[in-house]
Amino acid sequence: MARTAGRPPRSKAEILEFRSKIGKHALEIYRAEGFEAVSMRRLAKAVGCAPMTIYAHFDGKTDILRYLWADVLTDMSSDIAEKLKSVAGPSERLQSASHSFIAYWIDHSDHFRLVFMSNDVTRADVSTFLMGEDTLAHFLMFSDLIREVHPEEHDVKMSTDTLISGLIGIALCMNTMPDYPWADATSMTNQLLLSIIV
Amino acid sequence: MARTAGRPPRSKAEILEFRSKIGKHALEIYRAEGFEAVSMRRLAKAVGCAPMTIYAHFDGKTDILRYLWADVLTDMSSDIAEKLKSVAGPSERLQSASHSFIAYWIDHSDHFRLVFMSNDVTRADVSTFLMGEDTLAHFLMFSDLIREVHPEEHDVKMSTDTLISGLIGIALCMNTMPDYPWADATSMTNQLLLSIIV
DNA sequence: ATAATATTTGGAACGCGTTCTATATTAATG
DNA sequence: CATTAATATAGAACGCGTTCCAAATATTAT
């Protein structure tokens, strides 16, 4: 498999660098002017390349959004961790994290829509929410908290998944259907936690 | 307040008729060719009017989508009711409805995206999911089922809201993040029900 | 240098949701 | 009839995500 003539493919480092450069600019625009401003043409102008060049490095726009997701999730995690510092007991810590989780997504409904509602029907590809190891970690933090509550044998995975999806559901409902008089977010979270803490 | 000269405004009946006519065509297109095919220009062609005329009757596309939501929710309700026929016990009925609810949204992920993820970031208006009385009824059915389980005094509203949002959350997660190895949907639903049935 | 290959670029194009403007068309009052 | 107001229509325009294509450019082996 001797190298043939011609320009060699970019190294993986080059590809990653270009991708993260675009991601960085996308992040800047999103934070400064919101999601509407993050367009392919605008992004190309910011990064200093032709609009079409981006398509050589990304599958499409949703592919770029992952960089925004990662940033938002990191922000959320540090928010939860910050409030968690002053909490001691195992079940209290789980409760605190859950309430912080909900509070974050309600206080930042634009972020919520970005992360959980960006790959919708309008997009043809319906690309899935691809979770990397790092992205996953932001959610799996709940596993550790649940384990602290249940040191004995216990189906931690199922409890974690139920809690996470339940919390996301509460945030989704309160964000997208604000006209409906939902019960208090704190109360609903506590009720949901009943199924985990027992 | 004597009527001035000029053409009178359309009657409310006329307005409603035109709206439902458009809604009907939107429904036909959606069912036949999926969401991508439902475009304003296409819709105008189907209904036989100019594309701009629609904007005189609707705030925008999301406003039209409500007709699709209503149809999908009706479909879901009858699906749940059908499976509920053969179930007797109060808690068994609540479980059945919950599992049917989840199953429906997983079997029809396109419908799920349409109903719960259509007003996303990409749309500028971020119009909220406006629930009419009829739309609401499809969800409030869970209240009755919970009441059957808890004849004594019990915060039915909070239980209902927690259950509904939790179920929607499970559906959202499994639909949008299929790569993550979520726990079994049935198991998660049962776990969620633990917090309601106690 | 020359040839070969990878990549970037520019521009046009498509359909989309949406806004705007100018021009009918309709149906009432005077 | 003419006037007047509500509505409908046509068409252009904007920016969007995306696809296609031809031309230019960069980098390597020969």
Side-chain angles (χ1 to χ4, degrees), chain A residues 5-7 9-10 50 52-53 57:
Chain A
R7 181 178 181 169
R10 286 165 307 186
M52 298 305 101
T53 309
H57 297 257

Side-chain angles (χ1 to χ4, degrees), chain B residues 182-196:
Chain B
W182 295 100
D184 181 37
T186 308
S187 305
M188 285 200 285
T189 306
N190 284 332
Q191 175 104 20
L192 175 63
L193 281 167
L194 277 185
S195 65
I196 277 83

Side-chain angles (χ1 to χ4, degrees), chain A residues 94 97-98 101 139-146 160 163-164 167:
Chain A
L94 180 58
S98 301
F101 186 87
F139 292 96
L140 262 43
M141 161 205 62
F142 279 102
S143 282
D144 301 330
L145 293 171
I146 289 178
T160 306
L163 178 60
I164 290 176
L167 290 174

Side-chain angles (χ1 to χ4, degrees), chain A:
Chain A
M1 49 191 317
R3 280 273 301 105
T4 56
R7 181 178 181 169
R10 286 165 307 186
S11 70
K12 285 188 177 167
E14 281 172 321
I15 293 177
L16 238 81
E17 194 199 4
F18 192 92
R19 281 179 66 92
S20 73
K21 186 165 80 169
I22 290 189
K24 194 170 65 66
H25 279 94
L27 210 54
E28 280 177 15
I29 298 176
Y30 175 68
R31 278 213 270 246
E33 305 178 41
F35 183 83
E36 294 177 43
V38 183
S39 75
M40 299 299 270
R41 291 168 175 84
R42 177 98 157 66
L43 200 48
K45 198 171 292 182
V47 81
C49 71
M52 298 305 101
T53 309
I54 302 181
Y55 280 91
H57 297 257
F58 289 91
D59 289 339
K61 194 174 180 182
T62 14
D63 198 16
I64 301 179
L65 295 187
R66 294 190 222 286
Y67 283 85
L68 306 188
W69 296 344
D71 184 70
V72 167
L73 290 177
T74 302
D75 187 41
M76 178 207 68
S77 280
S78 67
D79 197 65
I80 293 179
E82 180 64 31
K83 293 179 186 166
L84 212 48
K85 279 182 184 171
S86 55
V87 185
S91 52
E92 285 80 7
R93 288 175 63 81
L94 180 58
Q95 285 179 40
S96 167
S98 301
H99 289 134
S100 301
F101 186 87
I102 291 288
Y104 183 87
W105 294 122
I106 289 180
D107 291 343
H108 306 87
S109 63
D110 51 338
H111 290 345
F112 182 85
R113 286 193 159 80
L114 175 73
V115 174
F116 295 104
M117 302 175 66
S118 56
N119 52 341
D120 66 337
V121 254
T122 62
R123 299 257 50 78
D125 59 343
V126 192
S127 79
T128 72
F129 189 124
L130 255 185
M131 294 234 214
E133 306 293 326
D134 46 345
T135 308
L136 222 53
H138 297 293
F139 292 96
L140 262 43
M141 161 205 62
F142 279 102
S143 282
D144 301 330
L145 293 171
I146 289 178
R147 237 185 299 268
E148 287 177 28
V149 179
H150 295 284
E152 74 282 10
E153 88 278 8
H154 181 261
D155 197 339
V156 176
K157 170 159 183 52
M158 205 190 61
S159 294
T160 306
D161 291 353
T162 306
L163 178 60
I164 290 176
S165 56
L167 290 174
I168 292 176
I170 293 175
L172 173 72
C173 288
M174 300 197 76
N175 270 320
T176 60
M177 313 177 221
D179 294 322
Y180 177 75
W182 295 100
D184 181 37
T186 308
S187 305
M188 284 201 286
T189 307
N190 283 333
Q191 175 103 20
L192 175 62
L193 281 166
L194 278 184
S195 65
I196 277 81
I197 298 185
V198 294

Side-chain angles (χ1 to χ4, degrees), chain B residues 53-115:
Chain B
T53 308
I54 302 181
Y55 280 92
H57 298 257
F58 289 92
D59 289 338
K61 194 175 180 181
T62 14
D63 197 16
I64 301 179
L65 296 188
R66 295 191 223 285
Y67 285 84
L68 306 188
W69 296 345
D71 183 71
V72 167
L73 290 177
T74 302
D75 186 42
M76 178 207 69
S77 282
S78 67
D79 197 65
I80 293 179
E82 180 64 30
K83 291 180 187 164
L84 213 48
K85 280 182 183 170
S86 56
V87 184
S91 51
E92 284 81 6
R93 289 175 62 81
L94 180 57
Q95 285 179 40
S96 168
S98 302
H99 289 134
S100 300
F101 185 88
I102 291 288
Y104 183 87
W105 294 123
I106 288 179
D107 291 343
H108 307 86
S109 63
D110 51 338
H111 290 345
F112 183 85
R113 286 192 158 81
L114 176 72
V115 174

Side-chain angles (χ1 to χ4, degrees), chain B residues 4-10 41 48-50 52-53 56-57:
Chain B
T4 56
R7 179 177 182 171
R10 286 164 307 185
R41 292 167 174 84
C49 72
M52 299 304 101
T53 308
H57 298 257

Side-chain angles (χ1 to χ4, degrees), chain B residues 11-26:
Chain B
S11 71
K12 286 188 177 169
E14 283 172 322
I15 293 177
L16 239 81
E17 193 200 4
F18 192 93
R19 282 178 63 92
S20 73
K21 185 164 80 170
I22 291 189
K24 194 171 63 67
H25 280 94

